[in-house]
Amino acid sequence: CFFLMIRRPPRSTQSRSSAASDVYKRQDQNDSRLGISEVPVMKPKGGLLSESNKLDGVSRDSIIIKPSKKTPHRRSEPPQTRPIETIIQSPQKPPVDEEYQKYMQLAEQSLKELEDLIETAKQTWQLEQNKNGISCYYPDGGDQSYATSMGLGIINATPQQVSFLSSDPSMRPKIDPNFLSMELVKQFDPNLRIYYQQVKKFPIVDQRDCLYLAYHKEKEDGTIIDMAKSIDYPGRPVPKGFVRADVKIAGWVIKPLPGQPNMSDAVYIGKTSPMGSIPNWIVSQVSKDQAMSCLLYTS
């Protein structure tokens, strides 16, 4: 729509009072358009009115201007923002597996123990038998309660193949004549595990089992070490009718043969006590059979 403003023509003559009246009328109209209402006006001190406070007989303090009912415009507040320090979070470290660290430290210590035992055996143990290129050594005297032996020889297989044959449960009965069953209890990673194993019953003695930590490590020069050591683990008590054997230390050190990629220089060593009451001759026989069987089969 278009609004046309029609202006009233001025009057020819105006009296003093009518002119003042027009002034107030125009002021009221302008005030209403501007949203100004009547508000109270403070009186001069002493209640005196000067001539300047009067207009055509009407005192200024008698004019009441009311405040506007319109809601005053409020400034919009800026949006709430989170402090930058709460938005940028520092990277969180992964939780530390204390159990893993415990057994990894034990595994590294056991590797050193295994290598030291092999060096001692090569220098001080006695050669007892040699068959098909496999030599078996046994300690001269010492603690007869432990089945202790070492076998070494050149095997027609790569270190990886020998390691697989010695650690795969399906191959165990062919390597260890006393093997009965094997169960994976805990796997921390592909190289660190806990196994439970049962062996066959010996004549006139209780059946044996063992719970041990198994560790596989490959060195930069291609050498592979497979180690086993008895441990205690929660929730795996000794079953009724069994005696738990103690694997002090046992394992393989398999080195690639220089210039012959499909051949390995392998050493197996074990120091195990069947525990309980068992004749020493049985312990000795088990020790001899195990060392020779391990290397003969893998070769």
Side-chain angles (χ1 to χ4, degrees):
C1 304
F2 294 93
F3 295 91
L4 299 178
M5 181 179 291
I6 301 176
R7 189 175 182 183
R8 179 186 300 178
R11 296 180 181 179
S12 57
T13 57
Q14 290 184 341
S15 64
R16 179 184 179 95
S17 60
S18 63
S21 176
D22 288 343
V23 169
Y24 283 110
K25 286 180 181 179
R26 288 195 298 270
Q27 181 177 351
D28 291 342
Q29 292 175 355
N30 293 336
D31 290 347
S32 62
R33 283 195 297 268
L34 295 175
I36 302 176
S37 303
E38 297 178 356
V39 294
V41 178
M42 295 181 62
K43 295 180 180 181
K45 292 182 179 180
L48 300 176
L49 289 175
S50 61
E51 290 298 326
S52 62
N53 289 332
K54 294 181 181 180
L55 183 60
D56 293 339
V58 181
S59 64
R60 293 183 182 274
D61 60 337
S62 64
I63 301 174
I64 299 176
I65 302 176
K66 296 181 180 181
S68 173
K69 294 183 180 180
K70 291 185 179 181
T71 304
H73 177 68
R74 295 183 180 180
R75 296 178 59 185
S76 59
E77 297 181 356
Q80 297 292 329
T81 58
R82 295 169 55 192
I84 189 170
E85 59 268 14
T86 64
I87 299 175
I88 303 176
Q89 299 179 355
S90 59
Q92 295 183 355
K93 296 181 179 180
V96 177
D97 190 338
E98 295 182 357
E99 185 182 41
Y100 171 78
Q101 290 186 339
K102 170 187 173 182
Y103 287 110
M104 178 56 75
Q105 183 179 6
L106 177 61
E108 291 291 344
Q109 293 173 353
S110 300
L111 285 187
K112 181 66 167 56
E113 182 182 354
L114 181 72
E115 292 176 318
D116 289 345
L117 183 61
I118 290 175
E119 290 301 318
T120 300
K122 287 180 177 181
Q123 295 175 13
T124 62
W125 291 10
Q126 300 296 320
L127 175 64
E128 291 289 334
Q129 55 180 321
N130 191 310
K131 185 177 181 181
N132 297 335
I134 305 301
S135 301
C136 288
Y137 293 80
Y138 306 96
D140 186 11
D143 189 356
Q144 297 297 321
S145 63
Y146 278 88
T148 308
S149 63
M150 177 181 69
L152 53 86
I154 304 300
I155 297 179
N156 187 20
T158 65
Q160 289 77 13
Q161 291 171 336
V162 176
S163 176
F164 170 77
L165 291 172
S166 64
S167 59
D168 183 31
S170 64
M171 299 294 178
R172 263 302 175 72
K174 299 177 181 181
I175 297 176
D176 184 358
N178 301 306
F179 176 83
L180 181 62
S181 64
M182 187 176 183
E183 174 192 349
L184 176 62
V185 176
K186 175 84 174 185
Q187 176 169 313
F188 298 99
D189 61 34
N191 298 322
L192 187 66
R193 306 178 182 186
I194 296 176
Y195 283 105
Y196 172 74
Q197 180 177 326
Q198 293 182 355
V199 298
K200 293 178 180 178
K201 191 178 186 305
F202 296 104
I204 69 172
V205 297
D206 291 331
Q207 194 167 354
R208 261 60 179 174
D209 71 349
C210 60
L211 186 68
Y212 61 92
L213 179 69
Y215 184 45
H216 173 89
K217 184 173 184 177
E218 297 189 20
K219 295 187 175 181
E220 293 182 357
D221 62 356
T223 300
I224 295 178
I225 304 178
D226 290 312
M227 180 278 305
K229 184 179 183 64
S230 282
I231 60 170
D232 293 324
Y233 195 73
R236 299 307 301 232
V238 181
K240 185 178 180 180
F242 281 77
V243 174
R244 182 147 295 174
D246 177 26
V247 181
K248 182 75 174 177
I249 191 71
W252 292 77
V253 176
I254 315 160
K255 298 181 179 181
L257 208 60
Q260 302 186 50
N262 295 324
M263 304 290 286
S264 301
D265 182 1
V267 178
Y268 170 82
I269 194 166
K271 186 176 182 180
T272 305
S273 173
M275 304 299 287
S277 177
I278 187 170
N280 287 339
W281 67 268
I282 295 180
V283 176
S284 178
Q285 188 61 44
V286 169
S287 176
K288 292 178 181 180
D289 291 344
Q290 189 172 28
M292 182 59 72
S293 298
C294 287
L295 277 91
L296 282 177
Y297 176 77
T298 53
S299 63

